[in-house]
Amino acid sequence: AQKVTQAQTEISVVEKEDVTLDCVYETRDTTYYLFWYKQPPSGELVFLIRRNSFDEQNEISGRYSWNFQKSTSSFNFTITASQVVDSAVYFCALSEPSLYNTDKLIFGTGTRLQVFP
Amino acid sequence: NAGVTQTPKFQVLKTGQSMTLQCAQDMNHEYMSWYRQDPGMGLRLIHYSVGAGITDQGEVPNGYNVSRSTTEDFPLRLLSAAPSQTSVYFCASSLTGRLNYGYTFGSGTRLTVV
């Protein structure tokens, strides 16, 4: 079965530091999707990125970047020059085929990032 | 365009009480689902639906009932609440249920069972 491992339970950094959140996944599928979500203290889930298994290009969006490596089954997330507003729980998730030609999301346990001023 | 609306946002129940968590979407999405979030466990799928009249179980369905009579609504029923059901519940919808379309999540319902 699919599995997502976020080994870092909690990370604390000082503002302006760079920080990388690790995500390792297991799947037998050749076609799948990987996601990152942010959950700020207010509790909602904020979508950050979706990446399909055929696209191994790294992606950058402002201070955020993602490194997808199929060879190591990893999809790591880096925040450059972190800010206090980046403090949140970050979830990595993987698609798993389900009935009725649908997918479900398999979530990791999350990494709590605290950015101190 | 409200997206996915969950009500209530907070609820406290006594053990054995019943209640329904509401989820509504206005995007004409066929696929709707319920996840629960527990500390240290991420989010886990409870039930999902691929259209009116069609539902299926997810990873943690015990203690929950669902039905889908309209495209817009997908309520989650707790028939006899237990402390183990204390959690944050998220409803999510998608156009078809394939993740190339992504999910839209509601803002969550925090449920405490005492």
Side-chain angles (χ1 to χ4, degrees):
Chain A
Q2 274 78 345
K3 184 179 179 182
V4 175
T5 300
Q6 294 181 257
Q8 304 152 307
T9 304
E10 190 161 337
I11 301 174
S12 296
V13 299
V14 177
E15 215 170 15
K16 297 184 183 177
E17 283 186 35
D18 299 346
V19 57
T20 295
L21 309 182
D22 297 332
C23 174
V24 175
Y25 63 94
E26 297 175 27
T27 182
R28 295 179 183 175
D29 298 320
T30 55
T31 301
Y32 52 89
Y33 294 89
L34 291 160
F35 297 77
W36 276 96
Y37 286 88
K38 174 183 179 180
Q39 187 176 45
S42 51
E44 74 273 22
L45 286 167
V46 178
F47 167 79
L48 295 178
I49 189 171
R50 177 180 67 240
R51 177 51 51 94
N52 77 54
S53 53
F54 296 106
D55 182 2
E56 289 193 70
Q57 280 192 348
N58 292 332
E59 179 147 345
I60 298 175
S61 176
R63 297 183 297 106
Y64 295 170
S65 62
W66 290 269
N67 185 330
F68 176 30
Q69 293 197 344
K70 286 179 76 171
S71 60
T72 56
S73 297
S74 64
F75 187 43
N76 296 337
F77 172 32
T78 296
I79 301 175
T80 302
S82 59
Q83 300 176 1
V84 173
V85 293
D86 295 326
S87 297
V89 179
Y90 291 86
F91 290 99
C92 180
L94 167 70
S95 65
E96 177 177 318
S98 188
L99 296 179
Y100 304 104
N101 196 31
T102 63
D103 301 305
K104 58 183 178 181
L105 272 177
I106 306 298
F107 282 83
T109 52
T111 297
R112 180 178 299 277
L113 174 65
Q114 294 196 63
V115 182
F116 294 99
Chain B
N1 189 353
V4 177
T5 302
Q6 290 185 238
T7 55
K9 291 192 183 302
F10 302 94
Q11 183 71 49
V12 178
L13 285 180
K14 293 183 179 179
T15 298
Q17 284 185 320
S18 63
M19 82 158 294
T20 300
L21 279 62
Q22 302 290 347
C23 176
Q25 53 90 11
D26 60 358
M27 297 171 285
N28 205 31
H29 284 176
E30 288 297 321
Y31 181 90
M32 298 183 74
S33 58
W34 280 99
Y35 285 80
R36 61 177 286 175
Q37 181 185 5
D38 301 297
M41 301 194 72
L43 282 78
R44 293 177 294 168
L45 181 65
I46 305 171
H47 284 286
Y48 67 96
S49 169
V50 297
I54 307 173
T55 65
D56 198 12
Q57 296 180 352
E59 183 183 355
V60 288
N62 292 340
Y64 307 96
N65 276 356
V66 293
S67 60
R68 182 109 176 260
S69 56
T70 68
T71 300
E72 294 77 21
D73 300 297
F74 189 44
L76 180 71
R77 298 181 187 86
L78 286 70
L79 298 180
S80 180
S84 60
Q85 294 177 303
T86 294
S87 188
V88 180
Y89 292 85
F90 287 96
C91 180
S93 74
S94 172
L95 184 63
T96 67
R98 296 312 308 272
L99 276 166
N100 55 326
Y101 289 99
Y103 278 6
T104 300
F105 280 91
S107 57
T109 295
R110 183 175 295 273
L111 175 67
T112 301
V113 183
V114 297

